[in-house]
Structure formats: structure tokens, C-alpha cells
Amino acid sequence: MTKTRFRTGSLKQAAKEHTLRLIACIAFLLMASPVFAQGVQQTKGDFQDKFRQLDEVLPDPNVYRNASGAPGHQYWQQKADYRINAQLDEDKRRITAQATISYTNNSPDTLPWIWMQLDQNIFRRDSIAETTRTFGGSSSNGVGVSGARFNDPARLSLGQIRRQQSLVDNNYGYEIGSVRLSNGTALKYTIVGTLMRIDLPTQLAPGRTVSFKIDWAYNIVEEDAVRARSGYEHFPDDPRPGGNDIFLLAQWFPRLVAYSDYEGWHNKEFLGSGEFTLEFGDYDVTMTVPDDHIVSSTGVLANPAEVLTATQRQRLRTASTANAPVFIVTPEEAEANERTGPNGTKSWRFTAQNVRDFAWASSRKFAWDAQGHRQPGAKNSTVMAMSFWPKEGGELWRKYSTAAIVHTMKVYSRFSFDYPYPTAQSVNGPVGGMEYPMITFNGPRTTLNEDGTRTYSLSEKVFLIGVVIHEVGHIYFPMTVNSDERQWTWMDEGINSFLDSVAGYEWDPDMPWTRSLPRDLIPYMTSNQQVPIMTQSDSVLNLGPNAYGKPSAAFHILRDTVIGRERFDFALKEYARRWKYKRPTPADFFRTIEEASGTDLDWFWRGWFYTTDHVDISLDTIHRLRIDTANPDIDLPRRRQELTGEPAKVGVELNRQQGLPIWVLENPGITDFYDQNDQFTVTPKDSKKYDSFLESLDEPWMRQAFDRAVAEDANYYVLSFSNKGGLVMPIILGLTFADGSTEKMNIPAEIWRRNSRQVRKLLVFPKGKELTQVVVDPDWETADADIANNHYPRQIIPSRIEAFKSPDRNSRVGRDLMAESQGAQE
């Protein structure tokens, strides 16, 4: 910026200009100060517009999705209904099944074929997922590679070896028996990895339905061996001969690939990280299992009299109105059950309406409890919250699983809608955490001690409560708000991680929850192993922090810092309401949050979701300024006082310490006027100039405004900030004053709109209110990466001295093998 100067002319004119600048903008006067002479201009050609609108990035609104982020007037989506009969062969660990599928084309397009998902084919040795699996590094997804590093390529864990052995010893993937129309006409099909195209003899016109049948079978993977999202777990130490299994069945049937207005067929190969994009429909599923098994499933049990005892049915009725979980199958009954074998089979039939997937679990090891959660006025006024677990779950599951389900529904419904289905279930098995409509798989367990008791650590408690909240939360997002998990993991995992952290802190704020608050994401956001959030799921380097943690941190910042809780909660609820049972895209989310909150957030979406910038705002300097009164009797003594505050000249101070004589003090006869007065002495000319200045204020408002400014004698501070991380964010200030009082100030992010690298801010406080300290982001709410440059004055950063000795060399070359072989060393 250039200095502001007085124009030449009369004293009266100059005085007017002086006063006008004082009144119009006090900063205009201050710009004449050397503080502002230090330019903050952009270097030519390097301008960065952090507030550039996203219109050029987001798809154009249309009749299917409008500019406000809501479904358009001609929004449509397909429908897929399934009637399935499945048989579980426990000994062979194999599923055989038959399905009749009805597919309704609600699109305006005529379809010559349909695509199906064959997710089990991911475990074929020749699948794209398997043949492109890399060893070590972030792309391994933690599958059995313990400690492997790119610079240590020969390090292989037993877990990885076990996985390779399982793939060699078993034939995994779908075995398709037949595909035919309901009238028996065979349909031509082509399998492409985890996809299958079915060619229709007659193109499917808009508004028409085609029904066809598929027979299939597959061998169930051992989840602990291959690290899948479903599978079986074997318990060889159970007293029953041959042991027992828990079966978690998901991605177990051929499912329709989604067909949408914005992509057509979503026929992207299943590679593992990108989950599922599915169509809603109605299900009628019968599962035939050993007759001593308990089955948990998506849907409502349609034949309880055929599979449950009279006692179990009565317990269910009691549980529906209970205020605490009631056992349907007690732990003692489950332990007794797992000691014996089946006498035959039972067929459990479940029905589910308007769901996008179907999963189930089966085992003789399950204890089962339930509690009715009431939602007055909702479509499902009572939701049955239920948990299924083996003895290995112990007291941990009895205390917390079903309670966490109920808590989740209470919290999530505030931010979205009433829980939409009649049941919500948590099942313990080999899968650490996975979600499907009305059913979730959750892994934490107790530890068996030598005395036969079972205990659990605090981390297992936190894990169980947290994973139940998270997975049941997924029944809202994306099982009901049906975002595309295959493409945009953050749309379900990020929103859900944000809400599960809200629910977690409402459960118990003192528990050590992790990964979802802004401060938790600083190490990731400053690392070189990251990609933008808006990266396709299978291409993300670090899925946890990128798809879960960073979006969650962003939503916390939006809610607590940028928008405010009331408006953000309203906007998120509107998004959930608009897209309940529908298929939103990122653009729909961005536009809805902006439209409902009344906030332009393109700068936020661009920075947080499209870049790998991080937050680091530095408070570089603070200058204190004081307004000149133009009165020499006031201003000149002030300047004298300012001068006395400077340190003494080094040479003069050393002379004093040596006791050297001062000439004028030794020879008083030579002193004159200037020895009694200095440059700050008020002269008649100064006084006359001041009187002339006051006379020049010839309009009443001028004198009134000037006198008020002089009387108030406010404190003016110029704060200089630099953006070192690249992400523009609100500047949150913690202010401490000399009188001991404190204040918090929120400067909106728009302060960076003209210069995203450096900004200065003028703060004005009344007389007597003097700043002693300023801290940027005092409550760590914006994920500011470097707190060392947040303080002014700078602070000494506390750390600690750790006493240690260098570790002994463990190399066999460096060890004394001669002494060891003679028993001299242990």
C-alpha cells in the first residue's frame, strides 16, 4: 500500500482532511505510519484466489438435481426387489442359493442390458484386486503386512503367508449355475471380474419391469485369514467335537449395479476400499441353517413360531416395552447350545422393505438380548435394538452393545430423521466393524484369564461403544441417505465419523475417543502421504484419516467455528431429509449445506476437500498505535515519555559504570536555554498552531467527533498475520488484557479474500484496556498445525528431558556369538 499524504494548501484545509480521515476510518490515519509502509502486496503473477467459486467444478444443475442441492422435479432412481432362498452348509462352509429378481426401470432411458455385482469374485486369485495388490506401504490396507516398508522389501509376516495359503487352498468366488427369465428362457451373461452383464432379449423400456432368476453358490472365506468384510470364524477349542463357527454373511448374493442420472451404470470394479453403490428394493429371504443356530438378519422375522420357542417369543414381547435389555437367549443357554450338534435344519424367513442391501449372521454360539426403543409419532414407533454375541463377548457386550445402539438412535435422529427401520442390530464376529441395513458386525471381545474369568481393557470398551455407534450410524448414512461409497467414501464415512464423535462425547466426554476432532488430524494434514478428500476411494493413500478423520474435522469446524451449531445442524438435517432413500452426490451435499445455512462455503469446500493444504496461521507482529491530539501540551510530553523508554546508549552506560565525569555537570557556567529545555518543549508557535487547527473545524460535527476521539484516547493495535499452511480459515483470537480480563474474537475467513498469504487487522479497545497477550486458535479448534507461531509475545514451548542410554546392538555380526555359544551370555 502507498502512504497517505496531506495535500498542500491552507492549514484549515489540512485540518479538515486530518479530521475526516480520523472519523471515516481510523486505519486510514494509521496507514501513514511506518508499520503500514512495509508492503503486503502480492508479487506480480502469483495471485491465488482461495475464494474462487466452485461453479466451474461442480456439475450444472438440471431437472434431476437442482441448484439448491435438492432432488430435481424429475428426479428418478431404479428399484430392485429380491426373493431369495439360501442354504448354509456349515461343514463345507458354503452357501447355495436361488433368487428371483425384479428390476424396475424408472429412468427415461431404454436399457439393452443390466449389470450385476459379484463381490465374492474379489477373492479369486485372478481378480484385479488380487493381481494389483501391492506389498507394504499404505496401499496394503493393513492386510497381514506387519512392519513392511518400501526400503525393506523382504520382510513378510505370518499373516500375509496365511492369506496366500488360504487363497491357494480354496476356490473362492461365485459359481453361477443359471441365469434365466421367469418363463425359463436362458439369458446370455458375461462376467467381468466382480461384475456381470446380463443381455436382455428385449430392451427394457422406461417404466417397465423385468424378472429373472439366478442360481449360485460360493465357498465362504475365513475372515481372519483373508481380512474380508464378511466370512466365518472358527472356534476349535469349543467343547463340541470339531468346534463351532460364527458366520457373518454379506456381499453374499448377486446385486444390481446402480444406474443413475449422473453416471449411468456404476460398473466400477470392486477393489476393496470402495464399498458399494446399490439400489433400494424389497426383500423376502429364507435362510436354511442348522436347527440349533440363532439367526440375526436385515428385516423382520416373518416366521417366529417356526424357529423360536414359546419362551423366546414371550421374551421378545417383554423386551419391546422394557427400559433395559432383556435376554431372548441367555449366555448360559448359548454356552449349553454350543456344546451339542444339530438334529436337522430350520428355515428362518425375513422380510424387509425399501432397503439397499441385505446381510445376516448365523451361529449356535449366540446369546441374544433386545430392548424396544420408542419413537413416538414415527413410522416405526418402536424399534427393536438387539445384540448377538458369543461367550467371548462376555460382560463387555452385555453392558454396552444394546445400550450403545439405543444411544446412537437418539443422537443421530436429532441430526437427521427418526430411525427408519423396525430393527437395529449389533452382532459380534470376526469382522471388526461393518454395516448393512438394520444389522452391523462389530469385533471387540473380552480376554479369558487363567482363573476362567473374563475382563476387558479400557481400549476394548472404547472400541466396542465407538464401533457400535459408528456402524449403527451407517444405517442412516449411507444405508438410508444412499451416497456412492464406491466413489466418494467421505460422504458416508466422513459424515458418520463426525456424528459418531458427537454421540461419543455425549455418551462420556472423558473417554479417550480418537480420530475425529480437528486437533487429531494435524499429523496427517502436514504429511506428504495424503491426497485430497475428493479422491476416488480405491486411490486414497491413507483411507482412515482421509475418508473418516479429515472430513469429520472439517464438519466440526463448520459447526463450531464457521457456521455455528444452530445453522449447521439445521442444514445437515435438511440434507438428510432431502436425500432420505435417495442418491446424493458431493455437489448436492455442498449446495444443500450452503443453501440451508445461508453461507457461501466454496472457499471451505475448495480448501478442505480439493487440496492437501493445511492450517497454519502465524501471528507475526503486533504494533500499538496512539492517536495524536494535535495539542502540543499533550502530544509533546507523550513523545518525550516514549523517548525515555528507549535503552540508554551502550557507550554512555559504560561511561557511567566507569564513573567518567560529564563536562556540562562539571562546568555549570557554560549551560544555556537548550540545557534546560529539549525538542519537546511547547513554544507559543506550537500553541498558536493548535488554536488555528481547532478554529479550522468549522462544522459542528467535526469538532464534536474530534473531541470525542481525543477524550476516549482508545488503544489501537495492528496485528499482522501470515498464512503458512495454505488453507484459509477464520482467525480465532484469544485476547488477554493488563487488567486480567480475557476475550475471544472470531474473524471470518473472508478476511483472506484479497490476499490469502498476509493480512493485517486493526483492533481498537477503550482507554485502560491494554493488550498483554494474543493467541491464535486458543482452543485448538481449527487444526492449526504450528502452535509455536500462534502466540504473541512468543512463548517458551514446554517439553521434557528424557534420560536414556543407547540401545544395545542386536545384529548377529555385532554380538559376541563365541561367548553366547559357551553359555557366558544370556
Side-chain angles (χ1 to χ4, degrees), residues 72 161 313 499 523 639 686 697:
I161 293 173
R313 298 197 299 275
L499 288 174
R639 293 175 188 173
D686 295 324
L697 302 179

Side-chain angles (χ1 to χ4, degrees), residues 538-789:
D538 290 297
S539 299
V540 173
L541 295 180
N542 291 286
L543 196 67
N546 181 278
Y548 295 68
K550 186 176 177 181
S552 172
F555 300 142
H556 276 288
I557 291 171
L558 279 179
R559 185 182 189 226
D560 295 334
T561 304
V562 176
I563 298 177
R565 289 195 168 192
E566 181 179 358
R567 287 192 293 139
F568 178 83
D569 294 354
F570 176 85
L572 183 59
K573 193 176 185 75
E574 178 64 13
Y575 166 74
R577 184 195 67 79
R578 286 178 174 183
W579 292 98
K580 182 180 181 182
Y581 300 125
K582 295 183 177 68
R583 190 188 308 284
T585 67
D588 300 318
F589 177 80
F590 295 153
R591 286 167 170 157
T592 294
I593 298 300
E594 289 194 15
E595 200 259 359
S597 69
T599 311
D600 181 358
L601 294 169
D602 282 17
W603 63 270
F604 188 88
W605 310 131
R606 184 180 291 278
W608 275 88
F609 287 76
Y610 288 88
T611 78
T612 57
D613 292 343
H614 65 275
V615 182
D616 182 8
I617 297 173
S618 172
L619 175 52
D620 299 324
T621 60
I622 299 179
H623 288 84
R624 181 183 178 186
L625 295 90
R626 201 170 191 182
I627 294 298
D628 285 341
T629 69
N631 186 344
D633 292 325
I634 297 176
D635 291 348
L636 291 176
R638 282 182 181 175
R639 293 175 188 173
R640 180 186 293 116
Q641 185 178 13
E642 291 169 1
L643 185 63
T644 59
E646 297 179 0
K649 297 178 179 65
V650 174
V652 173
E653 177 61 22
L654 292 176
N655 287 348
R656 185 191 65 78
Q657 293 178 14
Q658 285 186 257
L660 296 178
I662 298 174
W663 181 266
V664 296
L665 296 181
E666 295 290 327
N667 301 275
I670 66 169
T671 59
D672 63 6
F673 172 85
Y674 292 104
D675 290 301
Q676 305 299 321
N677 299 277
D678 59 16
Q679 67 267 38
F680 302 114
T681 298
V682 179
T683 68
K685 183 178 180 180
D686 295 324
S687 300
K688 184 177 180 180
K689 183 179 179 180
Y690 174 58
D691 292 338
S692 298
F693 167 73
L694 294 179
E695 291 174 3
S696 69
L697 302 179
D698 54 1
E699 296 186 31
W701 67 267
M702 291 183 177
R703 181 60 182 269
Q704 181 181 4
F706 178 77
D707 288 345
R708 176 178 172 180
V710 171
E712 289 179 349
D713 193 17
N715 292 298
Y716 299 90
Y717 297 91
V718 179
L719 282 63
S720 299
F721 302 94
S722 57
N723 181 0
K724 298 183 178 297
L727 261 186
V728 294
M729 287 294 291
I731 302 176
I732 315 300
L733 299 179
L735 309 174
T736 302
F737 299 93
D739 61 5
S741 63
T742 60
E743 182 180 329
K744 189 174 181 180
M745 178 180 294
N746 188 327
I747 303 172
E750 281 76 7
I751 192 174
W752 302 99
R753 65 190 181 276
R754 295 189 181 93
N755 188 332
S756 62
R757 295 186 177 91
Q758 293 176 304
V759 293
R760 284 172 173 160
K761 180 64 178 174
L762 172 68
L763 302 183
V764 183
F765 301 103
K767 183 178 182 180
K769 202 74 170 174
E770 297 180 10
L771 273 177
T772 58
Q773 179 176 270
V774 180
V775 182
V776 175
D777 194 21
D779 298 321
W780 294 2
E781 59 187 290
T782 67
D784 195 298
D786 185 3
I787 62 172
N789 60 27

Side-chain angles (χ1 to χ4, degrees), residues 13-268:
Q13 180 64 27
K16 285 185 177 180
E17 292 181 5
H18 176 87
T19 306
L20 287 172
R21 277 189 293 270
L22 174 64
I23 304 306
C25 178
I26 198 68
F28 222 65
L29 271 176
L30 299 178
M31 287 179 188
S33 162
V35 175
F36 283 90
Q38 307 169 45
V40 292
Q41 298 175 355
Q42 297 282 356
T43 302
K44 184 177 180 180
D46 68 350
F47 178 72
Q48 295 183 14
D49 185 2
K50 302 287 187 176
F51 289 81
R52 185 170 184 147
Q53 297 295 282
L54 282 178
D55 292 346
E56 62 193 18
V57 176
L58 302 181
D60 293 335
N62 51 51
V63 295
Y64 309 125
R65 299 164 189 277
N66 68 34
S68 72
H73 303 299
Q74 298 180 36
Y75 175 84
W76 56 266
Q77 63 186 33
Q78 310 291 60
K79 188 173 189 290
D81 301 324
Y82 300 80
R83 189 178 187 91
I84 305 175
N85 286 283
Q87 301 82 45
L88 170 63
D89 188 324
E90 180 178 26
D91 294 332
K92 294 182 179 180
R93 300 184 178 109
R94 182 174 172 85
I95 288 287
T96 304
Q98 311 81 38
T100 298
I101 303 173
S102 296
Y103 181 68
T104 302
N105 180 17
N106 292 318
S107 80
D109 308 322
T110 298
L111 306 178
W113 54 68
I114 58 178
W115 282 92
M116 306 291 293
Q117 298 188 53
L118 304 181
D119 300 312
Q120 290 296 320
N121 283 2
I122 195 175
F123 303 113
R124 290 175 55 95
R125 292 186 289 275
D126 61 353
S127 71
I128 293 179
E130 196 57 37
T131 56
T132 61
R133 180 181 294 274
T134 58
F135 180 79
S138 59
S139 61
S140 68
N141 293 323
V143 181
V145 185
S146 177
R149 296 180 295 273
F150 287 117
N151 61 354
D152 190 8
R155 193 172 186 176
L156 183 68
S157 74
L158 286 176
Q160 183 73 350
I161 293 173
R162 180 190 185 191
R163 185 177 192 280
Q164 297 302 317
Q165 292 171 345
S166 180
L167 295 178
V168 169
D169 294 344
N170 298 279
N171 291 318
Y172 293 133
Y174 281 109
E175 302 166 20
I176 303 297
S178 66
V179 182
R180 61 196 185 280
L181 291 174
S182 296
N183 62 12
T185 302
L187 293 172
K188 180 183 177 182
Y189 62 88
T190 303
I191 294 178
V192 184
T194 60
L195 300 167
M196 177 173 68
R197 191 190 72 237
I198 301 176
D199 298 327
L200 301 176
T202 302
Q203 294 190 6
L204 187 62
R208 302 300 297 273
T209 299
V210 61
S211 294
F212 57 97
K213 297 182 179 180
I214 298 181
D215 299 338
W216 76 94
Y218 72 91
N219 297 319
I220 303 168
V221 300
E222 184 176 6
E223 199 281 337
D224 285 343
V226 302
R227 301 293 178 90
R229 298 180 187 273
S230 64
Y232 76 87
E233 179 182 13
H234 185 55
F235 294 82
D237 296 330
D238 277 2
R240 176 177 176 267
N244 289 304
D245 292 328
I246 291 178
F247 294 91
L248 302 182
L249 288 310
Q251 298 106 259
W252 63 281
F253 62 99
R255 303 178 294 178
L256 262 298
V257 170
Y259 185 81
S260 72
D261 60 276
Y262 62 90
E263 190 167 333
W265 289 108
H266 291 234
N267 49 1
K268 182 171 178 56

Side-chain angles (χ1 to χ4, degrees), residues 267-334:
N267 49 1
K268 182 171 178 56
E269 182 84 10
F270 181 35
L271 300 179
S273 293
E275 295 182 33
F276 320 114
T277 307
L278 301 163
E279 303 286 8
F280 284 101
D282 299 333
Y283 287 74
D284 189 330
V285 182
T286 299
M287 296 87 88
T288 300
V289 301
D291 61 5
D292 58 349
H293 274 213
I294 294 294
V295 174
S296 167
S297 173
T298 296
V300 175
L301 182 61
N303 61 336
E306 300 175 20
V307 294
L308 301 180
T309 67
T311 299
Q312 290 168 343
R313 298 197 299 275
Q314 178 56 48
R315 290 171 177 173
L316 269 174
R317 288 190 290 270
T318 301
S320 66
T321 58
N323 294 321
V326 172
F327 277 111
I328 315 305
V329 176
T330 68
E332 294 75 21
E333 292 168 344

